[in-house]
Amino acid sequence: MFFCYNLLVHLAGFLLKIVAWFSPKIKLFVEGRKLVFATLSSKISTSDKTIWFHAASLGEYEQGLPVMEKIKEKFPNHKIIVTFFSPSGYEVRKNNTVADVTVYLPLDTKSNARQFLKLTHPEMAFFIKYEYWPNYLNELKKQNIKTYLISGIFREKQSFFKWYGGFYRNALKTFNYFFVQNESSKNLLQSIRFTKVKVSGDTRFDRVVSILERDNKLDFIEQFKNNTTTIIIGSSWPKDEELLIPYINQSQGVKFIIAPHNIKAEQIQNLKAQLKKKTVLFSEKENQNLAEFDVFLIDTIGILTKIYSYADIAYVGGGFGNPGVHNLLEPATFGVPIVIGPNYSHFAEATALVNIKGCLSIKNQDELNQTFDLLLQNEDERYEKGHICATFVQMNKGATATIMNYICNNQA
């Protein structure tokens, strides 16, 4: 099985180089890995102490950030190495301040794994939520490097729990300890005889709680909002916008800020063309009286979290596609009632918030219209649902402390 896996990885590496000629994203994936070993050689010496964190993409990085920050605080003499698999994570966070070195993770070949660990020689390795690369994990095990999964989540349909999943279960055997989000994940691991597992919860709650302690002020958003009830639309996709645009166009006395998932110029202009309300783009905001506009289109990245702090109502996109809705916890931590599409069952926090009625799921135009009208017209309803969201976040914080307590007491 290992032979077949390694053959497929090498084949994938070859095919990706071809696809890179036609796909800008795959080109970043391929080109970004070319200088990884040279970067590591220049930034890490053999005498350095290091700790390694791996995140698949941006979401996993944000999820692991509270632990990274605490590890950096607890081990100030260690260099922190962060690796990404996806360009959508690396390109956004390559200049982060928590890591001493941030690079792409080279493809999971035996030689890459050996070379990577030779150059980085970490004392500990943390994989965030998922991604189980057999060659890296086996090499970590061979070198007796403590390896942890944090904010892990497991589902019954995964290969680990099937009769044919022996190869994948062997990859799990390399972990020293599992910190999982829920009892279901713990029970699944125990069903295949993994006992070093603790339900720590989801570190994303710690991440979003910490946002409240930071400066979230944006002068241009305050100018646009101008003390008017405002609906923030975050990470929207075209299927979301098909329902949102008609509502925006017929609305009165309310403002909208839209931060689409895709900010390519052509799609932003197409979205703007469909809006009948007076609309301004972030990239065109200078020398404008923003208070005069009804819709603010955010054609940049990195500020949506702060924008949510100005929301009276939030619509979080992705719920009409697969795998489903985007991050609800950022608006929730600000005590904002949330509206989403119907595809949310893969996300525990979304399911929980819908069940306790802090978040409302809609399936069609009529339901969207009715839900927004209810929240806009009934201030008490809006505040109650926002309070539910904020309380939910506060009640679920603490995963980072659980993880750090174990790490600090098991260093020997």
Side-chain angles (χ1 to χ4, degrees), residues 190-368:
Q190 289 180 334
S191 74
I192 54 173
R193 300 180 181 178
F194 287 93
T195 58
K196 293 183 177 181
V197 51
K198 179 182 284 291
V199 178
S200 60
D202 189 342
T203 50
R204 286 182 303 161
F205 288 96
D206 299 320
R207 167 67 176 145
V208 296
V209 166
S210 72
I211 290 169
L212 297 175
E213 301 168 1
R214 301 177 186 182
D215 180 9
N216 294 297
K217 185 179 175 66
L218 293 171
D219 290 338
F220 58 90
I221 295 295
E222 288 188 11
Q223 184 186 352
F224 168 79
K225 184 177 171 74
N226 195 30
N227 296 315
T228 305
T229 303
T230 303
I231 296 176
I232 310 296
I233 298 165
S235 304
S236 62
W237 289 77
K239 286 185 178 180
D240 300 296
E241 292 153 8
E242 285 175 14
L243 307 185
L244 291 162
I245 289 169
Y247 187 86
I248 293 170
N249 286 338
Q250 58 84 39
S251 65
Q252 298 293 329
V254 59
K255 292 194 172 193
F256 297 85
I257 301 176
I258 309 175
H261 179 74
N262 192 323
I263 59 168
K264 290 182 179 177
E266 182 180 348
Q267 290 180 265
I268 290 290
Q269 290 301 326
N270 180 56
L271 178 55
K272 184 180 180 182
Q274 297 177 68
L275 294 165
K276 296 177 182 178
K277 296 290 182 177
K278 192 172 183 182
T279 302
V280 62
L281 271 61
F282 173 87
S283 59
E284 299 171 351
K285 73 181 188 304
E286 300 304 324
N287 303 316
Q288 299 274 9
N289 182 0
L290 297 176
E292 295 180 351
F293 292 89
D294 303 302
V295 181
F296 201 159
L297 257 177
I298 308 300
D299 54 344
T300 188
I301 59 174
I303 60 173
L304 177 57
T305 301
K306 290 188 175 185
I307 291 174
Y308 277 135
S309 71
Y310 292 90
D312 295 288
I313 301 165
Y315 179 96
V316 178
F320 283 91
N322 288 310
V325 69
H326 287 277
N327 186 1
L328 305 187
L329 296 182
E330 290 180 351
T333 199
F334 290 112
V336 178
I338 302 167
V339 182
I340 59 173
N343 297 342
Y344 61 85
S345 61
H346 278 76
F347 303 91
E349 71 281 3
T351 301
L353 279 171
V354 170
N355 288 341
I356 61 177
K357 297 181 169 49
C359 177
L360 300 170
S361 174
I362 56 97
K363 297 190 291 290
N364 53 47
Q365 187 73 63
D366 286 342
E367 290 187 6
L368 181 140

Side-chain angles (χ1 to χ4, degrees), residues 12-240:
F14 173 75
L15 292 175
L16 285 167
K17 290 177 182 177
I18 297 174
V19 177
W21 286 91
F22 310 99
S23 168
K25 185 173 182 179
I26 298 300
K27 185 176 182 180
L28 286 172
F29 182 97
V30 172
E31 294 294 320
R33 284 168 164 78
K34 287 184 176 179
L35 297 177
V36 169
F37 293 137
T39 300
L40 293 174
S41 296
S42 67
K43 293 189 175 183
I44 300 172
S45 70
T46 55
S47 61
D48 285 333
K49 296 180 178 180
T50 70
I51 298 171
W52 171 33
F53 286 85
H54 175 66
S57 193
L58 181 59
E60 291 72 38
Y61 169 84
E62 298 292 343
Q63 195 162 29
L65 188 56
V67 180
M68 295 181 208
E69 290 172 338
K70 288 297 181 183
I71 287 285
K72 191 178 183 73
E73 181 183 312
K74 184 68 179 177
F75 301 94
N77 297 322
H78 287 63
K79 286 188 174 180
I80 305 297
I81 301 161
V82 171
T83 58
F84 286 96
F85 182 76
S86 165
S88 57
Y90 175 80
E91 295 301 326
V92 176
R93 290 291 181 260
K94 60 187 176 184
N95 295 318
N96 70 81
T97 56
V98 73
D100 297 281
V101 187
T102 303
V103 292
Y104 281 100
L105 183 70
L107 289 180
D108 186 34
T109 65
K110 286 184 178 181
S111 60
N112 281 348
R114 283 194 294 264
Q115 180 73 348
F116 179 87
L117 291 177
K118 179 181 178 182
L119 292 171
T120 59
H121 45 83
E123 290 183 14
M124 292 182 281
F126 294 86
F127 286 68
I128 304 164
K129 191 177 180 179
Y130 56 74
E131 285 214 331
Y132 311 97
W133 298 113
N135 284 311
Y136 280 100
L137 290 171
N138 279 342
E139 197 62 32
L140 285 164
K141 183 75 171 178
K142 285 179 185 177
Q143 297 188 27
N144 294 314
I145 297 168
K146 290 184 176 180
T147 304
Y148 304 98
L149 181 71
I150 58 176
S151 287
I153 192 158
F154 292 89
R155 297 183 177 86
E156 194 174 354
K157 293 182 179 180
Q158 289 174 299
S159 300
F160 309 116
F161 312 108
K162 303 297 184 183
W163 64 267
Y164 53 81
F167 174 73
Y168 303 100
R169 285 193 292 274
N170 284 336
L172 294 184
K173 290 178 182 178
T174 60
F175 285 94
N176 292 84
Y177 212 86
F178 299 89
F179 297 96
V180 296
Q181 294 185 29
N182 52 39
E183 285 289 341
S184 173
S185 295
K186 178 181 178 180
N187 292 337
L188 283 168
L189 284 171
Q190 289 180 334
S191 74
I192 54 173
R193 300 180 181 178
F194 287 93
T195 58
K196 293 183 177 181
V197 51
K198 179 182 284 291
V199 178
S200 60
D202 189 342
T203 50
R204 286 182 303 161
F205 288 96
D206 299 320
R207 167 67 176 145
V208 296
V209 166
S210 72
I211 290 169
L212 297 175
E213 301 168 1
R214 301 177 186 182
D215 180 9
N216 294 297
K217 185 179 175 66
L218 293 171
D219 290 338
F220 58 90
I221 295 295
E222 288 188 11
Q223 184 186 352
F224 168 79
K225 184 177 171 74
N226 195 30
N227 296 315
T228 305
T229 303
T230 303
I231 296 176
I232 310 296
I233 298 165
S235 304
S236 62
W237 289 77
K239 286 185 178 180
D240 300 296

